[in-house]
Amino acid sequence: MKNNPYEEDPDFQEKMEEFLKSIETSTDTDDFDDNDDEELYDNDEDEELYNDDEELYDDDDEYFENDDDMNEYQVGTGQFTLGQDNKVKVEILQPLTNPREELNNLVGCNDIRKRIDELLDLNNYNVLMRAFCPDSKPHATSLHSLFFGRPGTGKTTVCKIYGSLLHEAGVLSRGHVVCCNRGTFIGNNWGDEDKAVRSVLELAKGGVLMIDEAYLLNSNHPNDPGKLVIPLLMDILANEDRRDLAIILCGYKDEMLRLIDLNPGLDSRFPNRFEFPDFTVDDLLEITRRRIREYGYSFTRSAWQKYRQLIAKAYAERDKNTWGNARFVANQLELIYLRHAHRCLRLPFPQRQQLLSLTTADIEPLAPTRPKPKIGF
């Protein structure tokens, strides 16, 4: 049997502890009282902006290029080296400080919240039974899960909450999340997949390994090296010593179900299924409220009306195969912030209220929907 390549670096465990403990602390934003301006929202029930500091839950499935030299085990995205010549490109997300609060504040995820609570309850019940009935047989609990959903529906956020809650419950020793995709595992040489899988699993030990668009690992090409990754994962998971780990495979529902059909072993090893539906218009408006609250902004009444119409129009005309859900909101708000900054910098004597008020001038109308090409003449 080969020696574990990660044991060649005696500082590995210490470095892992360092990057997992480097939790960023968020700073509270000052509250903005907009009740003094008649144009801004007051306490109307259907238009009030939320006053508690709540985070937007976004699905950050994107991977960013970073060619700069990185601290090897720094939380973030980059090339992480384990042992000699073992490099994998992943994104590492820190554990959350208040996962229960963030779970309760999830937008449009009631069923997911219930399912996670059920898994935690079963684990806590096993702990209780071990204490009072040590001779009883514990219920089998698998942490591995399948997340079905389109982009922007909150899969990465739920992964962070899931890992942090399992850590709080004592199931996972660290609770961090290692995000990767097909590109993480595919190398230039034969056998790189095996090295990448083992490296990624070592990085994820004690936390959650999230594989985004996992169905791309099983193409129709017979010589696709991605086909080796899922069997490698299942072989390694058969080792009972690897209990301190949760693997989550994410992707579109239909494609993920086809992946299960092609790999029957996944059905038993990944018994937990979570479905992430598209957000409704009301969900997207709630996400908007929470996002602008992070910056202390509020819409004027007319701007909020214009924004609501924009969201409703985009939702009605959406292509379900490419719709971005919360990402659409994030992109629209980025455009609003750019126009808002441009406008405010040209005010002669800007006041605090003007700087924190988003107006109709800041909202760009949606571009006309491109008609679908027709076949024939």
Side-chain angles (χ1 to χ4, degrees):
M1 182 180 294
K2 295 181 180 180
N3 292 330
N4 188 333
Y6 319 123
E7 293 177 353
E8 296 176 8
D9 182 358
D11 297 328
F12 170 73
Q13 292 297 334
E14 180 179 351
K15 291 177 181 178
M16 282 289 290
E17 292 293 339
E18 288 177 2
F19 85 75
L20 291 172
K21 289 180 180 178
S22 61
I23 298 175
E24 298 174 358
T25 57
S26 59
T27 57
D28 295 333
T29 57
D30 294 334
D31 288 339
F32 171 50
D33 183 3
D34 55 20
N35 292 330
D36 295 333
D37 192 326
E38 291 181 355
E39 292 185 356
L40 300 178
Y41 282 126
D42 49 28
N43 291 327
D44 292 347
E45 290 183 2
D46 60 340
E47 294 180 334
E48 180 186 22
L49 298 180
Y50 278 38
N51 288 325
D52 37 10
D53 295 328
E54 297 172 327
E55 285 188 88
L56 168 77
Y57 301 106
D58 193 9
D59 188 8
D60 298 321
D61 295 334
E62 298 180 36
Y63 293 80
F64 304 96
E65 296 292 335
N66 184 357
D67 296 326
D68 297 330
D69 292 333
M70 290 188 59
N71 187 2
E72 282 185 346
Y73 302 106
Q74 176 183 351
V75 173
T77 303
Q79 298 281 355
F80 293 84
T81 304
L82 300 174
Q84 295 180 350
D85 301 325
N86 254 350
K87 292 184 178 181
V88 289
K89 188 169 186 178
V90 298
E91 182 180 8
I92 300 179
L93 307 177
Q94 62 194 10
L96 300 170
T97 53
N98 296 301
R100 171 55 57 180
E101 179 181 349
E102 303 214 21
L103 177 65
N104 294 337
N105 288 332
L106 281 177
V107 175
C109 297
N110 292 333
D111 183 62
I112 292 170
R113 184 162 45 241
K114 179 182 176 183
R115 293 289 313 284
I116 290 178
D117 280 335
E118 289 173 349
L119 283 174
L120 292 171
D121 285 345
L122 182 58
N123 174 76
N124 292 334
Y125 176 78
N126 279 340
V127 173
L128 187 68
M129 290 295 289
R130 281 198 299 269
F132 289 92
C133 308
D135 297 331
S136 64
K137 180 180 178 180
H139 294 279
T141 55
S142 174
L143 306 180
H144 309 313
S145 307
L146 300 176
F147 281 12
F148 303 143
R150 295 187 177 93
T153 50
K155 298 185 294 295
T156 302
T157 295
V158 173
C159 277
K160 289 190 289 186
I161 294 173
Y162 188 58
S164 300
L165 285 173
L166 290 173
H167 173 57
E168 283 192 351
V171 182
L172 296 177
S173 62
R174 293 190 173 98
H176 63 299
V177 179
V178 174
C179 301
C180 59
N181 59 13
R182 173 186 166 89
T184 303
F185 302 103
I186 307 304
N188 297 320
N189 302 311
W190 182 262
D192 284 352
E193 295 75 30
D194 180 79
K195 294 177 183 178
V197 167
R198 295 181 184 279
S199 297
V200 167
L201 287 174
E202 192 67 25
L203 278 173
K205 185 177 180 181
V208 173
L209 172 60
M210 172 184 170
I211 304 179
D212 189 34
E213 297 182 320
Y215 54 87
L216 294 178
L217 292 169
N218 215 356
S219 73
N220 294 325
H221 196 288
N223 296 323
D224 181 7
K227 289 179 175 290
L228 302 174
V229 174
I230 297 295
L232 281 170
L233 278 175
M234 290 192 293
D235 287 344
I236 295 172
L237 289 177
N239 184 351
E240 291 298 318
D241 294 335
R242 291 190 175 272
R243 289 290 187 183
D244 193 16
L245 175 69
I247 298 180
I248 298 179
L249 306 182
C250 304
Y252 293 96
K253 183 176 181 179
D254 291 343
E255 286 82 349
M256 293 296 291
L257 291 177
R258 283 195 287 271
L259 176 66
I260 295 171
D261 290 339
L262 293 171
N263 294 272
L266 287 174
D267 197 32
S268 59
R269 296 208 181 276
F270 290 80
N272 305 311
R273 314 289 169 87
F274 296 86
E275 190 159 354
F276 292 72
D278 284 351
F279 289 116
T280 65
V281 171
D282 287 341
D283 291 335
L284 297 174
L285 293 175
E286 176 62 21
I287 288 171
T288 299
R289 293 186 182 100
R290 298 185 183 195
R291 274 233 162 179
I292 67 169
R293 184 61 185 170
E294 294 175 359
Y295 297 96
Y297 292 139
S298 62
F299 285 98
T300 63
R301 290 182 183 278
S302 56
W304 181 243
Q305 182 64 24
K306 183 177 180 180
Y307 181 82
R308 290 172 66 171
Q309 292 172 353
L310 180 151
I311 294 295
K313 181 176 186 294
Y315 187 84
E317 298 176 352
R318 74 193 187 282
D319 181 342
K320 292 184 178 180
N321 294 321
T322 59
W323 176 242
N325 287 286
R327 289 186 189 174
F328 178 81
V329 168
N331 292 338
Q332 292 304 311
L333 288 179
E334 286 300 317
L335 293 174
I336 289 173
Y337 297 155
L338 288 172
R339 290 173 64 87
H340 176 72
H342 179 82
R343 180 177 60 81
C344 288
L345 286 174
R346 282 151 183 80
L347 294 173
F349 300 101
Q351 303 297 311
R352 182 175 186 272
Q353 190 176 59
Q354 292 174 305
L355 296 176
L356 295 178
S357 299
L358 303 175
T359 71
T360 55
D362 302 328
I363 302 174
E364 181 84 24
L366 285 175
T369 304
R370 180 180 298 176
K372 295 182 179 179
K374 295 182 180 180
I375 300 177
F377 298 97

